[in-house]
Amino acid sequence: MLKIRFTDQDLARTRIAPAADMSSELVLSLHMLATRRSEGSLGQWREQLGRRWRPRSAMLFDLFSTTDLPEFLTVRQDARDTAEATAAGLDRTGRAYVNGLGRLRRLTPFARDLAAGDRRSRVLLGELTAEYQAAAITPYRERIDLLVAAEHRYRARRLAAGGLDEVLSTLRPDIRWERPVLTLPMSPCLTEVDLGGRGLLLQPAVFASGRLVIAGFEAPQEQPVLIYPIPGDRHLLMDDQVSPPPALTALLGRTRAAALCTLAAGGPLSTTELATALGISPATASQHAGILADAGLTTKERRGGTVVHHITLLGEVLMKGDVEGGTAPRPSRRLTALQRPSRAPDARCRPTVRRPDGTRP
């Protein structure tokens, strides 16, 4: 068990990350593949990645062990920038990390060259990282952002309702918060950490795959980070969009039926989030949401300059009535459902997810 000790200053500086850390998402997804961890909710992602996979990407697995993850793999918006940043990021600390892997197992020639600081190997590392990013992260980047933003809103509501105690005590069932100590079910070299007034950054991650990851604890100038998995499944990582049942489409029209289905599965959503999920403009999404609200199927709530849409009881009853007499939803081309961590996505709006076989792509 790992115990993290907080002072009043640490509690005041602890915050919830408002956006995804794409570098962490890339590293965590690679670790899941390298260690052959099975994650049923990411089965479709594995399948789609397999169609884009370049065999030489497996060279990146040389940088992982069961418990160790390389922090020098860096994601940028542009692939060329990713390659350059990753090659440049393999500094003395990164080379020491790779050398450390050599104490656990025999290093591959690629890993040995990286540990030695070989320039060509560093350039290759950058290219491999950029190629993997293009296949595994970039197609899902917007959806990862939406999932992390939804988790941030959920935790912010918890913070407003019960303070930081409420947030820390509900991160995961196996995490125990007894002020001023947060106890994690981990077995690192350290058994107790004093934050020293730095606070803690809580970073939700899609690809954490049921695991907790700690970072930055040993660097006194950095704020420590606790990466934790977003609860529930990750239907947002599907390439497919959930089509509403035919009867609901006939009643409301295709776009409004899809909007209602999306809010049932992942609401509440802002107008912009709803538009992104449906693949339409915010103005069009606002118009359709207004019609649904006029019919009593949804409600609108203004939060500052943002309008947030909720499904109503009448809307949920309509969904239930439709599905009981209709057919199951079918996947089509684009994404719909944004998961809300506080409740499971509505089963009627879920695409079918096949279990991964646990093998590498």
Side-chain angles (χ1 to χ4, degrees), residues 168-225:
L168 295 175
S169 63
T170 59
L171 280 177
R172 275 172 48 126
D174 53 358
I175 292 179
R176 189 170 70 252
W177 168 244
E178 294 178 352
R179 189 184 275 259
V181 176
L182 186 69
T183 304
L184 311 177
M186 305 175 69
S187 301
C189 297
L190 296 174
T191 57
E192 186 164 327
V193 172
D194 189 338
L195 295 175
R198 294 173 294 170
L200 184 66
L201 176 64
L202 304 173
Q203 177 66 63
V206 171
F207 288 104
S209 187
R211 303 190 60 183
L212 297 168
V213 179
I214 58 173
F217 282 80
E218 298 175 353
Q221 72 279 9
E222 295 182 9
Q223 184 176 39
V225 179

Side-chain angles (χ1 to χ4, degrees), residues 274-340:
L274 183 61
T276 300
L278 297 174
I280 59 179
S281 70
T284 303
S286 178
Q287 181 182 12
H288 286 299
I291 294 172
L292 291 173
D294 290 342
L297 302 177
T298 64
T299 60
K300 294 186 286 186
E301 174 192 1
R302 182 166 290 280
R303 298 178 184 171
T306 302
V307 176
V308 178
H309 306 276
H310 306 251
I311 191 169
T312 64
L313 179 59
L314 177 60
E316 292 181 347
V317 168
L318 180 63
M319 291 288 302
K320 289 177 183 177
D322 176 85
V323 171
E324 288 172 1
T327 59
R330 299 188 304 257
S332 65
R333 280 297 301 167
R334 275 198 305 268
L335 155 83
T336 47
L338 171 66
Q339 176 209 342
R340 182 175 64 173

Side-chain angles (χ1 to χ4, degrees), residues 31 34-35 58-68 70 97-108 111-112 360:
H31 186 256
T35 58
M59 295 173 69
L60 292 170
F61 297 163
D62 298 348
L63 304 177
F64 293 83
S65 73
T66 303
T67 57
D68 297 304
Y97 165 84
V98 179
N99 271 316
L101 292 178
R103 292 191 287 271
L104 303 175
R105 63 170 188 266
R106 176 178 291 184
L107 294 179
T108 64
R112 283 201 305 271
R360 296 180 185 177

